């Protein structure tokens, strides 16, 4: 990729040369002379740095400015040693400008706690107060000590945004929903494995046969959205409600009320003739599904194979069919007309190319193309539909039934006649049984929240609908909406399938990445993304953690090592001396849509995870090879950390809502701070936000990627400024499920911030009736299973998490889940330690909470923890079955032997 923009750091104007290997080498340059005493200096600021304790020593670096006369405590070579004092006074000349890329940056360099600030950010009434480092920066006339500044800030009674969240009641969906945007998403109906889909609009105004991306081709033209109507059309008001069958199955139930006539519609997908059962699903070759997705990437050999397979795969002897029934009922006391229009092309469709040419045969109820093929078979009250638009006078309480069947591609007349004879009710019951059987084969998660319960089950089936491939054993491609499988974005989809016990499906979905691996080991499936190889290796490792299948590891070892070696060589190309201080040893390349071919922390964090999981998988079968990759992983981790802290040192501190300031970090090496602050210039707006690079693709990923520990001070800095600069209601902008602050909050025991993210994101991204997700807030890319996959993984983490040899339950559940009479059940969920089950119940008087835990595999955890928060925040009077930690409201069970029972007894609720 081509870098068309120069983002290099401007030449540093140094007042010192610090000889200290632990500090950023980017600052190693020739010292700059101070401004002469008698020189006229525009924009001079006199400032004071004041520490909590005396003894600070180090040096000052000025970028885009110069030292001016008038300082106190600074040597001529720019070093300082405050052995007897806690104050340092500086005079700095900087350009008077509104552009951050031209503003002076001051770095206070020390062996520890180096920090940087914009010169013009210094104000006496809002000092740069950094309690984590025990330092403040204020104007020179401010004689206050650090302790006095700290007291003044504290006296204002301010809270950071995260502090405010902690002070509020726990978030709920009901509280979040009125405050965020309401989304309506088209519904995709299909069978799973088979790429033939039908899309239904939220208003029930159109239906479109489609492939993963784009419409079906019929008579050398794209099939249009087929226009339909229930009722009289667009009016001043609208009363339409949709719901999935049983709240979870891919069978759409919809009701439209048009004053005195109520229309109820049922829509689902099945076959023309073949019974719908798991054994009758053939599916579609994964490579054909891949090649029909947006922004897919195929090698020349893969393209040739796609071209060979496509005609066979898209012209099957039997079509999938959308079955639709509309029942119109007169609810008034007088006769009323009902109106139904079955799907047809848009206005002018019959006569104006390039649309289909067709006619309607009222004697048979068919919409028939000029070549004789039929694209719709309709009935009215059991007889052939007489016309496309039906108006019927219904007497009070009377109803009329319109049925139509829409094949994915038009079919010959003889098959249309057979399709007309299909029994709708029998097909509907068949579809119900088909989808229920899939759920029966999955683990169970049940919480006292009907919406979340439904979304867990509906979500798993949404993932399944667009996981394509040949049954029963072919490779699968876990698509992400209109896009093909992506190493990064498919990871939550595959990992949730593993979590629900669908190990065969997950393993086959991973196999398609290995099947498409380039001969050199590189994996790249969509839009020139360059992070997929590391992501796939990580997901392979996660699958191994669930299954411990060593035969599988042996079978994939050659391809796995080829990819790891590719990444290692990529890293070697960046181990050049001139990159010291600029991302030495880090891989360079774009991670998503933005054209940012830099040494990003997200890219390198996933590469580290890939190396680490390769070592873990190889340890039982090839310890020597495992040692090679463990050392490679640790070497990369150290290079990432060195670059990360170098970048933090030269990035400007930013203010928080409580009056304090914290260090910030760029999304990649060799830039100063979050790019949205433009400290080193650039244009960073993308995908409807200025936060994309810093939040969705930024350094917070390093916590999730096991490079920065969640309890490190740096993690606190990242989470704090990310919340205030880059979220609204602790949900990211544009494509919020890309941000992993959710996981970090849970790891740190920050339940309220996690729940704030959890509920505000799902309430604003998912259709509240059908539970389907958009990719972006601005309604781009429907049925986006990457977003749904991360929601499902958030739910999984909320209910159970692994760390080392410990299995933790209910780390993030709301208190109300344990209110009187409530129960939580996990049945056979897959963990790193094998299948596990949990039953938690609270008595109606809320005085006793009990839990039963089971994990009887041969790799069970050494320790189990279960958080059992009382709904009123009470602490138990007594505990049975483990050691209770009042701070975290968690019971710890050491030397776990496969089963455990825990009981907490509480005083009466106030």
């Amino acid at each position: 990729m081509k870098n068309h923009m120069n983002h290099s750091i401007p030449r540093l104007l140094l007042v010192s040369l610090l000889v200290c290997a632990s500090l950023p080498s980017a600052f190693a340059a020739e010292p700059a002379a101070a401004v002469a005493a008698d020189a006229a200096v525009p924009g001079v600021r006199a400032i004071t740095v004041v520490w909590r304790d005396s003894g600070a020593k180090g040096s000052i670096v000025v970028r885009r400015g110069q030292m001016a006369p008038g300082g106190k405590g600074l040597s001529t070579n720019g070093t300082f040693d405050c052995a007897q004092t806690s104050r340092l006074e500086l005079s700095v000349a900087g350009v008077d400008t509104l552009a951050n890329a031209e503003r002076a940056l001051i770095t206070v360099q020390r062996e520890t706690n180096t920090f940087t600030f914009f010169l013009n950010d210094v104000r006496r009434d809002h000092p740069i107060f950094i309690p984590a480092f025990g330092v403040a920066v204020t104007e020179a006339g401010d004689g206050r000590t650090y302790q006095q500044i700290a007291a003044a800030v504290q006296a204002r009674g301010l809270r950071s945004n995260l502090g405010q969240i902690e002070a509020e009641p726990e978030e709920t969906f009901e509280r979040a929903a009125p405050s965020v945007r309401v989304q309506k998403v088209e519904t995709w109906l299909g069978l799973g494995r088979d790429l033939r889909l039908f899309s239904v609009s939220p208003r029930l105004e159109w239906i479109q046969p489609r492939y993963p991306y784009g419409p079906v081709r019929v008579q050398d033209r794209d099939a249009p959205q087929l226009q339909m109507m229930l009722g009289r059309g667009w009016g001043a008001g609208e009363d339409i409600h949709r719901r999935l069958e049983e709240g979870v199955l891919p069978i759409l139930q919809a009701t439209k009320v048009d004053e005195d006539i109520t229309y109820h519609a049922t829509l689902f997908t099945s076959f023309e003739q073949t019974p719908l059962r798991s054994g009758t699903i053939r599916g579609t070759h994964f490579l054909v599904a891949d090649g029909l997705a947006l922004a897919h990437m195929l090698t020349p050999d893969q393209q040739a194979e796609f071209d060979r397979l496509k005609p066979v795969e898209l012209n099957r002897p039997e079509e999938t069919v959308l079955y639709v029934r509309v029942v119109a009922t007169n609810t008034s006391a007088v006769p009323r007309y009902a109106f139904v229009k079955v799907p047809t092309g848009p206005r002018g469709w019959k006569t104006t190319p390039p649309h289909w040419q067709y006619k309607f045969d009222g004697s048979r109820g068919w919409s028939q193309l000029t070549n004789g093929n039929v694209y719709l078979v309709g009935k009215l009250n059991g007889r052939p539909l007489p016309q496309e638009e039906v108006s019927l006078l219904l007497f009070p309480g009377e109803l009329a039934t319109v049925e139509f069947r829409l094949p994915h591609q038009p079919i010959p007349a003889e098959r249309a006649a057979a399709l007309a004879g299909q029994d709708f009710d029998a097909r509907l019951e068949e579809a119900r049984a088909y989808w229920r059987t899939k759920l029966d084969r999955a683990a169970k998660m049940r919480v006292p929240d009907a919406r979340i319960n439904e979304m867990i089950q509906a979500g798993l089936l949404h993932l399944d609908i667009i996981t394509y491939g040949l049954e029963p054993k072919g490779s699968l491609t876990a698509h992400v909406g209109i896009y093909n499988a992506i190493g990064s974005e498919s990871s939550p989809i595959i990992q949730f399938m593993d979590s629900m016990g669908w190990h065969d499906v997950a393993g086959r979905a991973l196999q398609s990445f290995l099947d498409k691996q380039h001969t050199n080991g590189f994996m790249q499936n969509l839009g020139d993304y360059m992070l997929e190889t590391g992501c796939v290796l990580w997901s392979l490792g996660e699958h191994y953690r669930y299954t411990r299948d060593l035969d599988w590891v042996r079978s994939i070892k050659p391809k796995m090592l080829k990819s790891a070696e590719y990444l290692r060589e990529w890293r070697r190309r960046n181990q050049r001396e001139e990159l010291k201080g600029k991302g030495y040893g880090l891989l360079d390349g774009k991670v998503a849509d933005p054209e940012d071919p830099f040494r990003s922390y997200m890219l390198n964090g996933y590469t580290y995870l890939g190396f680490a999981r390769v070592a873990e998988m190889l340890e039982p079968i090839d310890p020597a090879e495992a040692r090679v990759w463990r050392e490679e992983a640790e070497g990369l981790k150290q290079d990432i950390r060195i670059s990360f802290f170098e970048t933090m040192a030269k990035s400007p501190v930013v203010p928080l809502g409580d009056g304090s300031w914290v260090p910030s970090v760029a999304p990649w090496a060799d830039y100063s701070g979050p790019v949205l602050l433009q400290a080193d210039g650039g244009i960073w707006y993308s995908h409807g936000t200025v936060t994309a690079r810093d939040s969705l693709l930024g350094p917070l990923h390093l916590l999730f990627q096991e490079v920065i520990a969640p309890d490190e001070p740096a993690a606190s800095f990242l989470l704090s400024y990310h919340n205030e600069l880059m979220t609204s209601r602790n949900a990211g902008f544009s494509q919020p499920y890309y941000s992993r602050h959710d996981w970090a909050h849970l790891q740190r025991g920050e339940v309220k911030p996690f729940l704030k993210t959890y509920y505000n994101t799902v309430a604003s991204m998912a259709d509240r009736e059908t539970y389907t997700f958009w990719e972006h807030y601005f309604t781009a890319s429907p049925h986006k299973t990457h977003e749904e996959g991360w929601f499902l993984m958030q739910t999984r983490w909320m209910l159970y998490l692994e760390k080392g040899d410990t299995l933790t339950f209910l780390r993030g559940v709301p208190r109300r889940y344990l209110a009187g009479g409530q129960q939580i059940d996990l049945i056979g969920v897959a963990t790193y330690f094998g299948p596990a089950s949990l039953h938690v119940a609270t008595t109606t008087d809320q005085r006793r909470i009990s839990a039963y835990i089971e994990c009887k595999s041969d790799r069970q955890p050494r320790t189990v923890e279960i958080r059992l928060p009382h709904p009123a925040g009470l602490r138990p009077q007594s505990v049975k079955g483990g050691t209770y930690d009042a701070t975290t409201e968690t019971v710890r069970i050491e030397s776990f032997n496969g089963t455990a029972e825990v009981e907490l007894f509480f005083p009466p609720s106030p």
Side-chain angles (χ1 to χ4, degrees):
M1 284 171 289
K2 185 177 180 181
N3 180 8
H4 57 81
M5 193 182 303
N6 180 7
H7 300 295
S8 61
I9 304 295
R11 187 176 189 274
L12 305 180
L13 296 173
L14 301 181
V15 295
S16 71
L17 175 62
L18 179 66
V19 183
C20 180
S22 65
L23 294 180
S25 57
F27 292 132
E30 290 298 319
V35 178
D38 57 352
V41 183
V44 173
R45 296 289 311 281
I47 61 175
T48 297
V49 183
V50 55
W51 281 272
R52 178 178 54 224
D53 304 309
S54 61
K57 60 189 300 184
S59 64
I60 301 295
V61 175
V62 180
R63 283 180 280 167
R64 301 193 293 261
Q66 300 178 68
M67 296 301 299
K72 184 177 180 181
L74 193 67
S75 69
T76 55
N77 68 354
T79 61
F80 62 88
D81 186 347
C82 302
Q84 304 301 320
T85 182
S86 59
R87 302 180 73 84
L88 177 65
E89 296 181 5
L90 308 172
S91 289
V92 183
V95 178
D96 183 11
T97 177
L98 296 177
N100 281 357
E102 299 173 2
R103 296 170 66 199
L105 282 167
I106 315 299
T107 298
V108 180
Q109 291 192 325
R110 300 179 62 200
E111 289 191 8
T112 61
N113 298 342
T114 294
F115 66 96
T116 295
F117 57 93
F118 282 114
L119 175 63
N120 288 344
D121 284 353
V122 180
R123 295 288 186 275
R124 186 188 192 284
D125 51 347
H126 294 284
I128 296 174
F129 170 58
I130 313 174
F133 291 175
V135 67
V137 184
T138 184
E139 294 180 275
D142 188 350
R144 292 176 296 175
T145 64
Y146 172 87
Q147 288 77 8
Q148 289 171 327
I149 291 173
V153 172
Q154 185 175 5
R156 298 180 67 188
L158 302 174
R159 289 192 178 114
S160 67
N161 285 5
L162 288 176
Q164 181 60 38
I165 291 171
E166 292 285 5
E168 297 170 349
E170 286 181 346
E171 188 67 287
T172 66
F173 186 91
E174 292 71 25
R175 275 196 287 267
S179 301
V180 299
R181 63 184 71 241
V182 178
Q183 302 283 16
K184 298 287 187 180
V185 191
E186 62 193 67
T187 303
W188 285 12
L189 299 174
L191 301 177
R193 307 298 173 271
D194 195 309
L195 58 62
R196 292 173 291 184
L197 301 167
F198 297 89
S199 182
V200 182
S201 76
R203 297 188 65 258
L204 305 179
E205 59 187 331
W206 55 259
I207 293 171
Q208 186 169 36
R210 65 174 300 144
Y211 295 127
Y213 176 68
V216 176
R217 295 284 290 178
V218 176
Q219 293 186 327
D220 297 323
R221 301 182 178 100
D222 288 343
Q225 293 177 346
L226 303 176
Q227 307 297 303
M228 62 180 289
M229 185 183 72
L230 308 183
R232 293 170 292 175
W234 287 78
E238 186 168 77
D239 189 353
I240 299 175
H241 300 281
R242 296 163 300 140
R243 182 167 170 78
L244 301 177
E245 179 89 7
E246 301 173 12
V248 302
L249 305 180
I251 299 169
L252 183 63
Q253 302 285 356
T255 301
K256 179 175 180 178
V257 178
D258 184 2
E259 295 186 346
D260 292 335
I261 302 293
T262 295
Y263 302 85
H264 183 78
T266 301
L267 306 91
F268 63 93
T269 302
S270 188
F271 288 122
E272 283 182 57
Q273 298 291 327
T274 301
L276 177 59
R277 295 191 293 269
S278 58
T280 62
I281 298 293
R282 174 190 180 272
T284 306
H285 194 285
F286 87 91
L287 194 62
V288 173
D290 187 290
L292 290 174
L294 178 63
H296 68 272
M297 300 184 73
L298 300 175
T299 66
D301 288 345
Q302 291 164 2
Q303 184 65 52
E305 182 67 0
F306 169 84
D307 293 338
R308 184 185 70 82
L309 291 169
K310 181 181 175 182
V312 176
E313 294 298 309
L314 297 190
N315 294 281
R316 306 304 307 157
E318 182 175 10
E319 286 299 325
T320 60
V321 176
L322 183 68
Y323 288 79
V324 183
R325 171 190 281 167
V326 179
V327 178
T329 305
N330 181 357
T331 60
S332 76
V334 297
R336 294 293 189 193
Y337 275 96
F339 301 86
V340 176
K341 176 186 180 301
V342 299
T344 62
R347 183 178 299 172
W349 191 33
K350 291 185 178 182
T351 58
T352 307
H355 300 302
W356 294 350
Q357 302 293 307
Y358 82 102
K359 63 180 180 180
F360 187 85
D361 182 348
S363 66
R364 293 185 288 187
W366 291 358
S367 289
Q368 194 166 22
L369 302 178
T370 54
N371 67 359
N373 286 345
V374 176
Y375 77 85
L376 181 142
V377 175
K379 293 182 179 182
L380 172 61
N381 292 332
R383 298 163 60 186
L385 186 70
Q387 57 198 49
E388 297 171 353
E389 297 181 11
V390 175
S391 57
L392 283 174
L393 183 66
L394 299 180
F395 288 86
E398 189 178 8
L399 56 84
T401 301
V402 175
E403 290 183 11
F404 58 88
R405 295 94 195 265
L406 193 69
H408 196 259
Q409 293 193 65
I411 57 178
E414 60 272 18
R415 286 165 57 187
L419 179 59
Q422 291 293 304
D423 184 285
F424 187 94
D425 289 314
R427 281 294 190 183
L428 176 59
E429 190 53 45
E430 194 177 69
R432 288 170 176 152
Y434 171 75
W435 292 111
R436 288 171 185 154
T437 298
K438 284 182 176 282
L439 290 177
D440 288 344
R441 290 198 290 262
K444 306 294 185 292
M445 299 179 181
R446 297 176 184 142
V447 298
D449 185 326
R451 177 180 294 275
I452 300 304
N453 279 337
E454 290 179 353
M455 293 190 77
I456 292 168
Q457 297 175 79
L460 183 60
L461 296 180
H462 286 162
L463 307 185
D464 191 65
I465 285 173
I466 62 169
T467 297
Y468 309 115
L470 295 176
E471 292 287 21
K473 294 295 183 182
S475 298
L476 305 178
T477 175
H479 276 212
V480 286
I482 62 177
Y483 308 102
N484 58 303
I486 315 171
S488 53
E489 294 203 7
S490 294
S491 60
I493 298 168
I494 296 169
Q495 290 176 31
F496 187 73
M497 289 175 170
D498 258 330
S499 297
M500 297 298 281
W502 284 10
H503 301 312
D504 175 67
V505 176
R508 291 163 63 196
L510 289 168
Q511 184 61 43
S512 65
F513 290 105
L514 299 174
D515 292 345
K516 288 190 65 188
Q517 180 189 57
H518 295 195
T519 56
N520 61 3
F522 187 43
M523 297 183 190
Q524 188 176 52
N525 297 282
L526 181 134
D528 293 319
Y529 288 20
M530 299 185 73
L531 81 168
E532 291 190 60
T533 311
C535 292
V536 172
L537 293 177
W538 163 58
S539 288
L540 293 171
E542 292 298 295
H543 182 64
Y544 167 71
R545 286 183 167 188
Y546 286 108
T547 64
R548 304 293 170 170
D549 187 342
L550 292 178
D551 289 337
W552 173 75
V553 174
R554 292 185 183 95
S555 72
I556 67 168
K557 179 182 174 183
K559 284 181 173 285
M560 180 174 69
L561 287 178
K562 184 177 287 188
S563 286
E565 289 161 359
Y566 177 88
L567 293 174
R568 180 172 60 188
E569 290 307 308
W570 190 354
R571 172 164 148 73
R572 294 290 182 268
R573 295 195 298 271
N574 287 279
Q575 290 176 313
R576 307 194 307 272
E577 194 65 25
E578 65 267 26
L579 290 176
K580 289 291 181 70
K582 299 180 179 180
Y584 174 86
L586 304 192
L587 285 67
D588 55 318
K590 64 178 280 188
V591 296
D593 292 346
E595 296 294 335
D596 299 329
F598 309 123
R599 293 173 179 83
S600 78
Y601 297 122
M602 183 181 181
L603 169 63
N604 285 274
Y606 276 122
T607 302
Y608 162 73
L609 275 183
F611 286 157
R613 295 298 188 270
V614 166
E616 185 177 326
M617 286 185 280
L618 291 176
E619 185 64 37
I621 63 172
D622 192 343
E625 189 71 27
R627 189 178 312 113
V628 170
W629 294 104
R630 190 161 48 249
E631 291 174 357
E632 193 67 41
E634 287 306 308
L636 176 57
K637 180 177 181 178
Q638 289 307 309
D639 283 345
I640 296 170
R641 288 180 62 86
I642 288 169
S643 176
F644 173 87
F645 287 107
E646 287 175 344
T647 303
M648 178 181 286
K650 66 183 181 183
S651 296
V653 293
V654 294
L656 303 179
D658 62 0
S660 69
W661 296 58
V662 294
S664 65
V665 188
W668 47 72
D670 204 24
Y671 195 96
S672 301
V675 297
L676 63 82
L677 300 182
Q678 299 178 326
D680 292 334
I683 302 297
W684 306 113
Y685 171 88
S686 180
H687 293 68
T689 180
V690 296
T691 69
R693 275 94 165 181
D694 298 303
S695 171
L696 313 182
L697 312 175
L700 252 176
H701 282 277
L702 293 178
L703 278 65
F704 182 71
Q705 294 161 336
E706 304 170 10
V707 175
I708 302 295
D711 58 355
E712 287 188 57
S716 297
F717 303 154
L718 289 169
L719 286 166
S720 296
Y721 80 75
H722 177 266
N723 169 269
E724 305 216 3
L725 271 179
M726 303 166 194
T727 74
S728 173
R729 304 179 67 85
N730 212 25
F733 286 84
S734 182
Q735 194 175 357
Y737 281 104
Y738 249 94
S739 178
R740 293 282 66 83
H741 63 294
D742 46 10
W743 182 90
H745 285 313
L746 276 182
Q747 291 290 334
R748 291 161 57 91
E750 296 166 353
V751 176
K752 286 185 177 181
F754 167 79
L755 292 174
K756 194 77 172 181
T757 301
Y758 181 78
Y759 283 115
N760 282 277
T761 310
V762 71
S764 57
M765 285 291 287
D767 190 307
R768 300 177 188 181
E769 296 179 320
T770 62
Y771 307 140
T772 307
F773 286 67
W774 285 113
E775 178 177 11
H776 293 279
Y777 283 129
F778 49 84
T779 66
S781 179
H783 198 94
K784 190 65 185 328
T785 44
H786 164 257
E787 277 58 40
E788 192 159 16
W790 280 126
F791 161 75
L792 294 167
M793 287 302 292
Q794 285 180 345
T795 307
R796 183 255 205 235
W797 299 332
M798 179 175 73
L799 295 171
Y800 69 99
L801 268 173
E802 304 90 343
K803 184 176 182 180
D805 59 5
T806 300
L807 176 59
T808 300
F809 290 103
L810 310 189
R811 193 176 184 95
V813 296
R815 291 184 182 278
R816 70 182 186 283
Y817 278 16
L818 286 91
Q822 303 292 3
Q823 298 184 22
I824 300 172
D825 285 289
L826 305 179
I827 303 174
V829 295
T831 78
Y832 296 167
F833 308 104
S837 296
L838 170 73
H839 174 72
V840 176
T842 305
T843 56
T844 55
D845 62 3
Q846 300 186 157
R847 296 198 62 183
R848 177 176 173 269
I849 300 177
S850 61
Y852 174 77
I853 304 158
E854 183 175 290
C855 182
K856 293 184 175 180
S857 77
D858 57 0
R859 49 191 166 94
Q860 64 195 33
R862 189 184 71 82
T863 303
V864 168
E865 295 179 344
I866 180 167
R867 174 176 165 267
L868 296 169
H870 190 274
L874 302 180
R875 296 300 183 264
Q877 293 174 320
S878 62
V879 176
K880 292 182 180 180
T883 304
Y884 183 76
D885 183 335
T887 303
T888 61
E889 302 174 285
T890 298
V891 178
R892 184 175 177 86
I893 304 160
E894 300 281 2
S895 302
F896 178 73
N897 64 6
T899 63
E901 293 186 58
V902 172
E903 290 182 292
L904 278 63
F905 299 91
F906 295 88
S909 298

